[in-house]
Amino acid sequence: MRHIVAQPFLLKADLDGKVRNHIPDRLLLTDDGNRRDWLFDSDLRAADLDGMALDDAFALLPGCARLLLKSAVLHLLWYRQVTTALDRPLSAGHMLRRASR
């Protein structure tokens, strides 16, 4: 283990018509790197998200649960594998761009 850091922020989600809130309070960083990488489908990583609206990316893989796909796309944003303008609150219309290497 390398670090445990506080990261309080509010996550809100609409699940089956009910708003759910969660405040994750800790992030564990290890020498093994990102331990949750295996949760995200390689088909999404291979997809060309450049120029795609965020909402379209959330529906990109038929047969994949939308909430799981949404988590995966947001994971790619968090790790800067894709980018978007953050000059306003994140919304369905935000355009994704291929990250510069």
Side-chain angles (χ1 to χ4, degrees), residues 5-13 20-29 36 71 74-75 77-79 90:
V5 293
Q7 59 166 22
F9 62 93
L10 176 64
L11 291 172
K12 292 176 95 174
R20 303 283 184 177
N21 296 317
H22 177 68
I23 300 175
D25 56 356
R26 301 285 183 256
L27 172 65
L28 174 64
L29 300 172
R36 299 196 179 211
S71 294
L74 294 176
H75 173 85
L77 274 169
W78 180 262
Y79 284 95
L90 199 59

Side-chain angles (χ1 to χ4, degrees), residues 10-77:
L10 176 64
L11 291 172
K12 292 176 95 174
D14 183 344
L15 298 173
D16 299 322
K18 184 170 181 165
V19 175
R20 303 283 184 177
N21 296 317
H22 177 68
I23 300 175
D25 56 356
R26 301 285 183 256
L27 172 65
L28 174 64
L29 300 172
T30 70
D31 291 330
D32 295 335
N34 179 9
R35 294 181 167 251
R36 299 196 179 211
D37 214 35
W38 57 270
L39 291 172
F40 303 103
D41 195 305
S42 61
D43 289 342
L44 179 62
R45 291 181 193 285
D48 185 6
L49 302 176
D50 191 49
M52 186 176 290
L54 191 57
D55 197 48
D56 292 337
F58 292 162
L60 184 64
L61 300 176
C64 182
R66 184 177 173 88
L67 286 176
L68 291 176
L69 192 51
K70 184 175 182 179
S71 294
V73 171
L74 294 176
H75 173 85
L76 294 177
L77 274 169

